[in-house]
């Protein structure tokens, strides 16, 4: 009976491979998907996720992701297995805008003994957005308090003042000035790029909300298309590193039509700049300011299989691991929808103060989809029985 179950499962996986594999021609694939080996294949997080956010706490990794009420999973290793432990919200956000039940791009941080989850309420292609915040004293308690909007753009309280009148309130990230302890919220997407505003001491509002003393950290002035979003800021003495996703993130159709894809290299990639000040200005490796369209590429599509990596975060080094860059990516063999995105991660090494993504031996990634590997494992198990 068990042998039959194994064969049925293998048959199902083969069917999924046949149905799910995009039908682009070889010529189209070579013109769209990078075969570069400049970047390593990702270590596998073994979970489907888009815009992941990971908190490392008490020897456990907590994964937050966009979705209904902001799902939370946890694991003892970045490789998984991941266990669903609940959601941040127990219903729609109290922010009265569209898409309240499916917040995007959460960022959760621990600060002063509590946890703060900043989340996005928006729709694709719109500036009618808000960044909200929810708090808890325990990641495992399941009891979060939704405090509503921290900032609004296009509509809502104070949305008429700078920088909210020309920015897009999505993709929040958090940083504390190591010298002063002052907290900041970084956010933004397309339009006028990435902004930074100082937060009040309780982290629930912008300091001096009507005069937010905002700084434009990153911008693409030359091109009409301004694909910068999903910022993250990390610190490694003596530099602050401003990370962002650059390019087209998604909406690649069903992967069957080449017209749904941007030109090669215009899809998501991960860029960085650095500064000795949390407020910038940030420059790339060539000395170009990020507000002038600069940014050094750290990770991008590779090996003909990894496509459009982005939605990044950085886990700081500790006694168990070096700095880790994590992200979502699409596998060119399996699909191009948001719910086809997988968690990947890479160790970071620093060369002359610049981060470089590095491979490790247990990446578990090949140019074939993971379920093909699962089929092989099932067949081996059957033969050995």
């Amino acid at each position: 009976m068990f042998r039959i179950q194994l064969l049925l499962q293998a048959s199902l996986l083969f069917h999924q491979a046949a149905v799910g594999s995009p039908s682009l021609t070889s010529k189209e694939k070579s013109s769209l998907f990078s075969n570069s080996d400049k970047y390593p294949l990702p270590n596998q997080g073994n979970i489907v996720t888009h815009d992941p956010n990971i908190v490392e706490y008490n020897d456990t990794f907590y994964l937050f992701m966009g979705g209904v009420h902001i799902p939370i999973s946890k694991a003892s290793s970045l490789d998984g297995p991941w266990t669903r432990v609940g959601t941040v919200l127990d219903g729609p956000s109290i922010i009265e805008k569209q898409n309240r039940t499916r917040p995007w791009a959460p960022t959760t941080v621990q600060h002063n003994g509590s946890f703060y989850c900043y989340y996005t309420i928006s729709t694709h292609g719109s500036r009618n957005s808000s960044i909200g915040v929810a708090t808890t004293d325990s990641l495992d308690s399941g009891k979060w308090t939704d405090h509503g909007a921290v900032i609004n753009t296009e509509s809502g309280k104070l949305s008429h003042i700078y920088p909210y009148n020309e920015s897009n309130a999505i993709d929040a990230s958090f940083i504390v000035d190591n010298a002063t302890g002052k907290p900041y919220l970084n956010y933004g997407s397309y339009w006028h790029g990435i902004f930074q505003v100082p937060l009040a001491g309780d982290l629930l509002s912008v300091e001096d909300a009507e005069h937010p003393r905002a700084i434009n950290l990153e911008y693409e002035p030359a091109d009409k298309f301004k694909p910068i979003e999903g910022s993250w800021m990390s610190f490694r003495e003596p530099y602050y590193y401003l990370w962002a996703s650059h390019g087209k993130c998604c909406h690649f159709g069903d992967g069957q039509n080449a017209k749904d894809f941007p030109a090669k290299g215009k899809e998501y990639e991960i860029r960085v700049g650095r500064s000795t000040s949390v407020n910038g200005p940030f420059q790339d490796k060539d000395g170009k300011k990020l507000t002038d369209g600069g940014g050094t590429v750290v990770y991008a599509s590779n090996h003909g299989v990894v496509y459009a990596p982005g939605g990044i975060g950085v886990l700081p080094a500790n006694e168990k691991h070096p700095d880790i860059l994590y992200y979502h990516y699409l596998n060119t063999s399996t699909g191009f929808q948001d719910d086809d995105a997988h968690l990947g991660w890479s160790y970071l090494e620093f060369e002359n103060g610049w981060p470089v993504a590095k491979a490790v031996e247990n990446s578990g990634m090949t140019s074939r989809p993971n379920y093909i590997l699962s089929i092989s494992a099932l067949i081996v198990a059957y033969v050995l029985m």
Side-chain angles (χ1 to χ4, degrees), residues 255-334:
Q256 311 294 319
N257 192 334
K259 293 181 179 179
D260 291 331
F261 294 89
K264 183 190 291 187
K266 296 297 183 180
E267 74 277 7
Y268 248 16
E269 63 183 15
I270 300 169
R271 298 187 182 186
V272 75
R274 73 184 190 189
S275 174
T276 55
S277 169
V278 71
N279 309 125
F282 289 84
Q283 296 182 337
D284 65 16
K285 193 173 183 179
D286 297 323
K288 187 174 184 178
K289 291 183 179 180
L290 299 197
T291 48
D292 291 333
T296 297
V297 180
V298 177
Y299 199 72
S301 300
N302 60 79
H303 291 85
V305 59
V306 175
Y307 188 69
I312 71 269
V314 175
L315 290 171
N318 57 32
E319 65 278 4
K320 294 185 177 181
H321 61 73
D323 290 275
I324 293 174
L325 173 69
Y326 61 85
Y327 41 85
H328 73 246
Y329 73 94
L330 297 168
N331 186 315
T332 60
S333 299
T334 60

Side-chain angles (χ1 to χ4, degrees), residues 113-240:
S114 296
F115 297 91
Y116 299 75
C117 178
Y118 296 94
Y119 62 85
T120 293
I121 299 294
S122 188
T123 55
H124 291 290
S126 170
R127 279 188 61 248
N128 188 23
S129 311
S130 299
I131 292 173
V133 62
T135 61
T136 187
D137 292 330
S138 171
L139 290 179
D140 291 305
S141 72
K143 297 178 181 178
W144 292 76
T145 300
D146 186 6
H147 300 274
V150 179
I151 60 175
N152 298 290
T153 53
E154 192 170 286
S155 70
K157 185 177 180 181
L158 299 180
S159 61
H160 64 286
I161 67 172
Y162 180 85
Y164 314 133
N165 58 356
E166 60 178 65
S167 60
N168 190 19
I170 76 169
D171 295 355
S173 64
F174 176 87
I175 190 72
V176 171
D177 187 330
N178 276 17
T180 66
K182 192 174 187 62
Y184 292 91
L185 190 75
N186 303 321
Y187 78 94
S189 174
Y190 285 72
W191 281 277
H192 215 283
I194 309 301
F195 282 86
Q196 181 185 84
V197 290
L199 289 172
D202 62 4
L203 307 191
L204 303 179
S205 61
V206 175
E207 182 182 70
D208 194 2
E210 295 186 0
H211 306 89
R213 298 191 299 280
I215 298 172
N216 195 193
L217 297 178
E218 188 166 4
Y219 180 51
E220 184 69 64
D223 298 333
K224 183 177 180 180
F225 186 63
K226 303 182 185 300
I228 305 170
E229 59 185 1
S231 70
W232 187 269
M233 196 176 288
S234 61
F235 178 77
R236 185 178 187 271
E237 185 72 35
Y239 296 109
Y240 294 89

Side-chain angles (χ1 to χ4, degrees), residues 58-125:
N58 281 350
D59 294 322
T60 301
F61 297 97
Y62 291 82
L63 172 65
F64 297 77
M65 66 182 78
V68 176
H69 304 160
I70 313 175
I72 310 171
S73 299
K74 72 176 183 179
S76 59
S77 167
L78 287 177
D79 300 323
W82 297 90
T83 302
R84 178 77 172 267
V85 294
T87 59
V88 171
L89 305 180
D90 58 9
S93 166
I94 63 174
I95 300 172
E96 294 185 357
K97 289 189 177 183
Q98 69 293 322
N99 207 26
R100 297 165 58 201
T101 61
R102 297 181 64 88
W104 298 352
T107 287
T108 300
V109 297
Q110 183 187 17
H111 191 71
N112 292 337
S114 296
F115 297 91
Y116 299 75
C117 178
Y118 296 94
Y119 62 85
T120 293
I121 299 294
S122 188
T123 55
H124 291 290

Side-chain angles (χ1 to χ4, degrees), residues 13-36:
L13 289 169
F14 272 120
H15 175 72
Q16 289 174 334
V19 172
S21 297
S23 60
L24 299 174
T25 67
S26 296
K27 183 177 180 180
E28 287 173 331
K29 290 178 181 179
S30 64
S31 69
L32 295 172
F33 307 142
S34 172
N35 287 307
S36 171

Side-chain angles (χ1 to χ4, degrees), residues 17 21 305 331-334 365-375:
S21 297
V305 59
N331 186 315
T332 60
S333 299
T334 60
M365 180 72 178
T366 74
S367 59
R368 294 173 294 173
N370 288 343
Y371 51 68
I372 298 296
L373 300 180
S374 299
I375 294 169

